[in-house]
Amino acid sequence: MTRSASPLLPIAYSDEVTAAKARGAPLVALESTIITHGMPYPGNLEMARSVERIIREEGAVPATIAVIDGVLHIGLDDAELEALAQTEGAMKVSRADLAFAIAERRTGATTVAATMIGAALAGIRVFATGGIGGVHRKAEETFDISADLEELARTAVIVVCAGAKAILDIPKTLEVLETRGVPVVTYDSPNFPAFWSRDSGLPSPLMLNSPAAIANFQAVRERLGIDGGMLVANPVPAENEIPRREMEIYIERALDNAERDEITGKEVTPYLLNTIFRLTDGRSLATNIALVENNARLAAEIAVAMAV
Ligand code: PSU
Ligand code: MN
């Protein structure tokens, strides 16, 4: 592991990432909140390992990002990945508290927003996740809008996801992205996907059907001096999907439970995901793993296309 020269900003690059940067190999960032807060052990560890393997198979190098004991890690080795997957009580770190976790020497898993910050710092331009955070249902009362949206507006990283989590208000999420100037590109489908389902019922603002076209689109944005990130929505493979109508029943129940249990703030997303895993007897977890793997593959293809 390579430590940063500056003791003022403790960053550690994994050996694999250090070597990749030295030879200019394509890199794909991965978040860690999905490991600590998004899935139960040991499914989370299996997912974390398999997405890294898929990225390597596609000719890119994975960089899972997390804060461990106050050090910002860009790339984790297998022992670190395993330890993180079993860590209880890791912070869920977004833009607001990334620096806090480092300053206070905490262990924290990075959300989409914080992972984008780490990726940009490390010169990594593509990032794969499951679903981004967005505008929550009833946001007009709670004001609960994920910092992920703001980060997409300001940080130049391509985020590959399976759409917005269907637990969110997807029309409002797309409106905020449009207002903030974030391109939303669905891969190979006219329909914006909804995480577990291939179709949210809404058309996608933009569509492209090759990694090279996505790489080229980003290159043109950069030439125009348009900063900020891009959201690439990759529908879950048909054989792994749970149709929207069926998911909606579980989502409604999970939202009712969250209201009853007075869940607020950072706990909302992990609580809802967990409740849905239980209500679907783990089926939603299998779908979640399949879609992250699918996104890792596309992200690696985009990173490879950007490198040529
Ligand atoms: N995608 C998943 N599982 C997750 C998340 C995304 O499949 O657990 C996490 C991501 O880290 C995302 C976060 O950034 O949920 C959003 O949380 P919030 O709504 O509190 O911003
Ligand atoms: Mn929130």
Side-chain angles (χ1 to χ4, degrees), residues 2-19:
T2 312
R3 290 264 171 163
S4 91
S6 166
L8 300 177
L9 183 56
I11 301 188
Y13 292 89
S14 67
D15 292 338
E16 191 184 11
V17 170
T18 303

Side-chain angles (χ1 to χ4, degrees), residues 10-300:
I11 301 188
Y13 292 89
S14 67
D15 292 338
E16 191 184 11
V17 170
T18 303
K21 285 177 73 70
R23 64 175 198 277
L27 283 147
V28 175
L30 295 161
E31 62 152 312
S32 44
T33 295
I34 191 170
I35 301 173
T36 55
H37 294 71
M39 292 180 190
Y41 181 83
N44 61 350
L45 180 60
E46 285 163 30
M47 180 278 306
R49 283 179 173 151
S50 79
V51 295
E52 291 207 346
R53 192 188 57 240
I54 288 166
I55 289 167
R56 291 185 193 107
E57 279 168 11
E58 296 296 333
V61 173
T64 299
I65 295 180
V67 179
I68 301 175
D69 298 328
V71 177
L72 178 59
H73 284 253
I74 311 291
L76 301 180
D77 63 29
D78 195 64
E80 288 164 339
L81 210 56
E82 180 158 4
L84 190 71
Q86 296 183 63
T87 299
E88 296 199 8
M91 284 179 74
K92 177 180 160 186
V93 174
S94 188
R95 171 176 277 267
D97 32 31
L98 177 61
F100 179 91
I102 295 169
E104 291 293 310
R105 309 223 169 120
R106 301 285 185 87
T107 291
T110 50
T111 61
V112 168
T115 304
M116 289 178 76
I117 295 171
L121 201 65
I124 303 174
R125 302 157 75 205
V126 186
F127 161 25
T129 182
I132 57 157
V135 181
H136 281 263
R137 300 187 190 189
K138 296 195 185 152
E140 62 276 22
E141 289 168 28
T142 63
F143 278 48
D144 190 350
I145 302 176
S146 177
D148 292 352
L149 301 184
E150 185 61 31
E151 204 58 48
L152 278 159
R154 51 161 112 182
T155 302
V157 173
I158 296 178
V159 178
V160 182
C161 69
K165 267 169 285 211
I167 53 176
L168 300 167
D169 186 321
I170 296 179
K172 288 195 182 79
T173 300
L174 289 174
E175 286 295 346
V176 170
L177 288 167
E178 192 201 6
T179 302
R180 305 294 286 110
V182 179
V184 175
V185 180
T186 298
Y187 184 66
D188 216 12
S189 167
N191 308 314
F192 186 68
F195 201 67
W196 301 282
S197 319
R198 288 179 58 81
D199 182 6
S200 64
L202 296 165
S204 179
L206 302 169
M207 176 175 80
L208 288 171
N209 39 35
S210 74
I214 294 168
N216 183 51
F217 178 25
Q218 181 64 4
V220 174
R221 293 181 74 224
E222 285 167 11
R223 274 177 228 133
L224 280 171
I226 297 175
D227 53 10
M230 179 190 298
L231 190 65
V232 173
N234 187 27
V236 63
E239 64 268 29
N240 304 111
E241 115 163 298
I242 308 178
R244 190 156 55 96
R245 253 169 268 288
E246 194 186 336
M247 273 319 295
E248 197 53 39
I249 298 164
Y250 305 124
I251 291 167
E252 289 289 345
R253 205 172 307 160
L255 288 165
D256 284 347
N257 287 2
E259 206 168 306
R260 180 199 64 203
D261 294 347
E262 297 178 13
I263 306 297
T264 56
K266 281 173 179 284
E267 267 102 69
V268 173
T269 298
Y271 177 96
L272 292 175
L273 288 174
N274 248 306
T275 306
I276 291 168
F277 292 155
R278 275 194 292 106
L279 293 174
T280 60
D281 281 326
R283 225 175 113 216
S284 70
L285 179 58
T287 297
N288 198 339
I289 293 174
L291 64 84
V292 184
E293 291 173 346
N294 191 45
N295 297 342
R297 189 167 298 110
L298 178 58

